[in-house]
Amino acid sequence: MTSATPVQSHAHTSTLVAKLWNYCNVLRDNGLSTIEYVEQLSYLLFLKMVDEIASDPFTEKEARAVVPPECDWQSLVHRRGIELEVHYRKILEELAKSPGTTLGTIFAKAQNRITEPALLEKLVVDLIGKEEWTIQGTDLKGDAYEGLLAKGAEDTKTGSGQYFTPRALIDAMVDVMRPQPEDTITDPACGTGGFLIAAHDYIRKNHMQDVTREQRLALGTRSIWGNELVTGTARLAAMNMLLHGIGDADGESLITVGDALAAKPDRHASLVLANPPFGKKSAITVVGTDGKVEREDISYERDDFRATTTNKQLNFLQHIMSLLKMDGRAAVVLPDNVLFEGGAGEKVRRRLLEEFDLHTILRLPTGIFYAGGVKANVLFFEKKPPRTGGGHNTSKLWVYDFRTGKHFTLKQRPLTRADLEEFVKAYQADRPRSERVESERFKCYDFDELIAQDKVNLDITWMKDPALDDADSLLPPEVIAQEIVEDLQAALSEFAAIAEALGGEVSADTDTIQPTESN
């Protein structure tokens, strides 16, 4: 088998993803929602890819038998009509029988929703069955899923956009964090596993020549793990990781399904990469060490949370603080309100500056997430031991403004890894931070400046959009209109959060604020 060139690989991947999306259209016509048809295709695509990997002579023997022979792809392709449908249902049932394993996670509660035998036969025999999905030289194992998810994420009414982080941003974050073979790596809101797979790929590309056998085995089975709240999303993560060589089909699942915030971590990591869910806060009760209680429907008792709040993003940040080992490091995508919100937000920021080394913030532009109006940042910080005699662990915070004057859209002007190259170079991951250089977009602030800010506000801006001052650089009307929409959506989200804090009730569908009934 010959390797494809990068251009050929990209073209081949794009063609196959386009075909996959056409299959989705077939399923949509059969009455399935976006999430449902992505899920249904993923079962079949997984079985086909596993079959290709198993038949590849270069595949290590222990990696070949991912599913039992009676449940593999070959057992499907020789059947037709009702017999095919009945056997496919048995496969889904059989592979779901080992809860806690990787296969058990992938096929948990799996059901065949392709109710027409002729349509299932068309997918197995004529569509998926006639393609080679793991051609050498391509990363279709991941790209096929990610391309499908990117398409599905455009349908924000299904909620699929909540767990899709742009691949370009993931890659840039991983490049500056530089995962090492000895790292233990986790994502407490892993979605489809993008950060975990990118970290694994980085280690394989940069360090496999000098890792020990023990480190290589740990890299695939013990040192990388994630958590995901939604069963269907966890399924996609487990599939994606297994196809990338992370995990063991019959071994313990590396993806835990459940609410990461429900309990203190029982395991700690040297590297956390995460994009916790934005949007409406969960219904919870939080009891913190400050003695306060905030009540909603679900109860969390976290004595490791210093600030009591039902703000989901602030709680994820506190959870990640607890997840880190001493001297561990984190890169976390968080919305703007985490940087300026008072009350619990101020408490969390003070703790972050005093007990951790918050050394870098990357201000992200709008237009890169599928949830409209999201204004977000990446916070880079490290867990440090208390200083002798007290004192603070953050000495200098570097802020990179990648927002002002930057204009992206999901279709016409999507974010690419090249767009983030200047930030990656300015970050200087391979050199001491003392050697960083200030620039128009990259500014440094001392601890005393930060702590003196009203409410320890870290939402720091200094640049003006050149389009506001230069008539010759006016943006196209469609870009201006989109930015107005996103600004209004962001404002509505912030007002909704305030209304909730005051006792209002926000409709999940419309984000309109509903008054609560008085007792």
Side-chain angles (χ1 to χ4, degrees), residues 355-428:
E355 298 181 23
F356 294 73
D357 181 7
L358 174 63
H359 55 79
T360 310
I361 292 178
L362 169 63
R363 292 174 58 79
L364 295 171
T366 58
I368 66 172
F369 294 103
Y370 287 94
V374 171
K375 290 188 174 181
N377 315 266
V378 186
L379 275 60
F380 299 87
F381 57 92
E382 297 174 1
K383 189 169 190 173
K384 296 295 182 184
R387 285 180 171 267
T388 305
H392 48 82
N393 279 317
T394 299
S395 57
K396 294 181 182 298
L397 169 64
W398 289 80
V399 182
Y400 191 97
D401 188 341
F402 186 58
R403 182 179 302 175
T404 306
K406 297 289 185 179
H407 306 283
F408 297 94
T409 61
L410 293 174
K411 294 181 180 178
Q412 283 79 23
R413 176 73 173 88
L415 179 72
T416 68
R417 173 61 180 80
D419 292 317
L420 287 158
E421 187 58 28
E422 284 189 16
F423 165 72
V424 172
K425 288 180 178 177
Y427 190 102
Q428 295 188 155

Side-chain angles (χ1 to χ4, degrees), residues 153-170:
E154 294 172 16
D155 183 1
T156 54
K157 290 182 180 179
T158 67
S160 55
Q162 293 174 359
Y163 56 78
F164 190 84
T165 307
R167 179 69 174 269
L169 179 59
I170 290 174

Side-chain angles (χ1 to χ4, degrees), residues 285-501:
T285 296
V286 178
V287 181
T289 56
D290 54 7
K292 294 182 180 179
V293 176
E294 291 202 8
R295 288 188 177 85
E296 289 188 17
D297 294 336
I298 305 170
S299 181
Y300 294 161
E301 293 209 16
R302 294 291 299 264
D303 58 13
D304 54 328
F305 283 8
R306 306 286 184 82
T308 302
T309 176
T310 51
N311 180 304
K312 186 160 50 178
Q313 294 83 39
L314 286 173
N315 281 331
F316 260 106
L317 179 52
Q318 293 190 90
H319 179 69
I320 289 166
M321 291 175 175
S322 294
L323 262 180
L324 282 176
K325 291 180 178 178
M326 196 57 67
D327 294 317
R329 57 208 194 281
V332 187
V333 181
L334 292 164
D336 276 11
N337 70 285
V338 169
L339 299 184
F340 62 74
E341 192 174 281
E346 180 180 349
K347 285 184 181 180
V348 172
R349 289 191 296 277
R350 284 185 183 275
R351 183 185 174 204
L352 194 56
L353 291 172
E354 291 170 356
E355 298 181 23
F356 294 73
D357 181 7
L358 174 63
H359 55 79
T360 310
I361 292 178
L362 169 63
R363 292 174 58 79
L364 295 171
T366 58
I368 66 172
F369 294 103
Y370 287 94
V374 171
K375 290 188 174 181
N377 315 266
V378 186
L379 275 60
F380 299 87
F381 57 92
E382 297 174 1
K383 189 169 190 173
K384 296 295 182 184
R387 285 180 171 267
T388 305
H392 48 82
N393 279 317
T394 299
S395 57
K396 294 181 182 298
L397 169 64
W398 289 80
V399 182
Y400 191 97
D401 188 341
F402 186 58
R403 182 179 302 175
T404 306
K406 297 289 185 179
H407 306 283
F408 297 94
T409 61
L410 293 174
K411 294 181 180 178
Q412 283 79 23
R413 176 73 173 88
L415 179 72
T416 68
R417 173 61 180 80
D419 292 317
L420 287 158
E421 187 58 28
E422 284 189 16
F423 165 72
V424 172
K425 288 180 178 177
Y427 190 102
Q428 295 188 155
D430 58 341
R431 297 162 73 179
R433 286 194 286 272
S434 59
E435 296 183 18
R436 285 178 171 177
V437 178
E438 285 197 328
S439 65
E440 181 186 17
R441 291 194 177 273
F442 205 25
K443 299 295 182 184
C444 182
Y445 298 87
D446 290 330
F447 173 84
D448 292 338
E449 295 178 83
L450 302 171
I451 211 72
Q453 291 269 97
D454 181 40
K455 297 180 182 177
V456 195
N457 186 346
L458 300 181
D459 187 28
I460 300 170
T461 61
W462 65 92
M463 296 182 69
K464 289 184 66 177
D465 193 328
L468 298 177
D469 297 323
D470 186 353
D472 293 332
S473 63
L474 287 176
L475 298 170
E478 65 272 17
V479 174
I480 295 173
Q482 180 62 30
E483 291 193 347
I484 290 172
V485 169
E486 289 177 344
D487 285 341
L488 288 172
Q489 287 172 326
L492 180 60
S493 296
E494 289 172 14
F495 282 129
I498 293 169
E500 283 185 289

Side-chain angles (χ1 to χ4, degrees), residues 1-3 49-65 134-137 141 204 216 245:
M1 199 185 312
T2 57
S3 296
M49 287 184 178
V50 164
D51 182 65
E52 291 177 17
I53 292 170
S55 61
D56 186 340
F58 295 101
T59 300
E60 295 181 15
K61 286 184 179 180
E62 62 269 21
R64 291 184 182 180
T134 55
I135 290 176
Q136 188 176 350
K141 296 185 297 295
R204 287 181 62 89
R216 182 173 63 82

Side-chain angles (χ1 to χ4, degrees), residues 72-121:
D72 65 7
W73 180 259
Q74 293 303 319
S75 72
L76 279 173
V77 296
H78 301 300
R79 289 176 165 86
R80 297 290 183 272
I82 296 294
E83 184 189 4
L84 171 63
E85 183 191 4
V86 170
H87 182 65
Y88 181 51
R89 289 180 186 276
K90 286 182 179 178
I91 287 178
L92 297 182
E93 291 173 7
E94 188 64 32
L95 294 179
K97 285 183 177 178
S98 301
T101 66
T102 301
L103 280 180
T105 299
I106 291 172
F107 291 96
K109 299 179 182 178
Q111 292 182 346
N112 175 29
R113 298 185 185 277
I114 306 171
T115 55
E116 297 179 18
L119 178 54
L120 178 62
E121 183 177 319

